[in-house]
Amino acid sequence: MTAAPALSRRTVLADALVGQRTLVKDLLLVVAGIAVVAALAQVEIPMWPVPITGQTLGVMLVAASLGFRRGVAALAGYMGLGLAGAPVFAGFTGSIAAVGTPSFGYIIGFVATAAVVGWLAERRWDRRPLLAIALFGLASLIPFVFGIPYMAAVLAALGTPVDLPTALAFGFTPFIVGGIVKWAIAAAAMPAAWAGVRALDRAAD
């Protein structure tokens, strides 16, 4: 059997690494995905009103590795655990009160990001460098689509209304450099991982 047919049956990276899918494996992968995002949430530069964290990198790598359904399940599970009180959000925090924080919109955006990344990874966008650059560039922007309006709404509700330039200054500009770094890491890591899988398949033939 050649490497190409072997890879054709492996929808996403997790399937290539753990073999045939089962419910137990899927559940364990979702739990692992939650753990990765929770761990990277603690890589934090405190800022007001929204901290800089490693979460977005975790979201991109988890969703690309797990695919659409498991990726969305992992990020929805992450959000649900945090709202239930598990200390998985930045700064080892977690409670239903997070809904009222300026940063919660970004967490909502992570679920949407996981859906897009997982769906495109199932169509092999994470395997080739140019497509991976496009995929993770898009993924880097999705949280802001949710996060900036949510942040502005929360600040307005708290008595600090902000205009668009101020919202961008609070919720987008401070994240540009870190976002580019996370984008580059994800765009390099996933094609490299797939190259490793292909090399192992060739060695096994």
Side-chain angles (χ1 to χ4, degrees):
M1 182 178 293
T2 63
L7 285 177
S8 69
R9 295 196 299 271
R10 298 170 181 174
T11 306
V12 290
L13 186 62
D15 299 319
L17 297 177
V18 304
Q20 183 176 2
R21 291 183 64 168
T22 66
L23 178 59
V24 172
K25 286 181 181 178
D26 283 350
L27 290 174
L28 290 174
L29 287 168
V30 167
V31 171
I34 293 171
V36 168
V37 177
L40 286 174
Q42 312 318 319
V43 180
E44 178 187 11
I45 300 175
M47 290 182 59
W48 186 90
V50 179
I52 296 174
T53 73
Q55 283 168 299
T56 306
L57 176 60
V59 172
M60 292 190 291
L61 294 178
V62 165
S65 298
L66 300 188
F68 177 81
R69 291 184 180 180
R70 291 174 299 193
V72 170
L75 270 298
Y78 170 76
M79 181 171 65
L81 282 174
L83 292 176
V88 295
F89 296 155
F92 294 103
T93 60
S95 78
I96 191 65
V99 173
T101 63
S103 61
F104 188 70
Y106 293 88
I107 296 175
I108 297 173
F110 292 156
V111 180
T113 303
V116 172
V117 172
W119 190 82
L120 290 174
E122 290 177 357
R123 284 145 185 84
R124 304 188 178 195
W125 280 51
D126 62 328
R127 302 190 188 192
R128 298 183 179 180
L130 289 180
L131 284 176
I133 289 170
L135 168 60
F136 295 115
L138 172 63
S140 298
L141 296 175
I142 295 173
F144 296 106
V145 175
F146 294 82
I148 293 173
Y150 196 101
M151 177 199 69
V154 170
L155 291 178
L158 295 174
T160 309
V162 296
D163 56 16
L164 179 58
T166 304
L168 292 175
F170 284 163
F172 180 73
T173 305
F175 304 93
I176 292 175
V177 173
I180 292 173
V181 171
K182 287 178 275 191
W183 172 15
I185 291 172
M190 292 304 298
W194 275 111
V197 169
R198 289 190 291 270
L200 289 174
D201 272 3
R202 287 192 296 269
D205 286 342

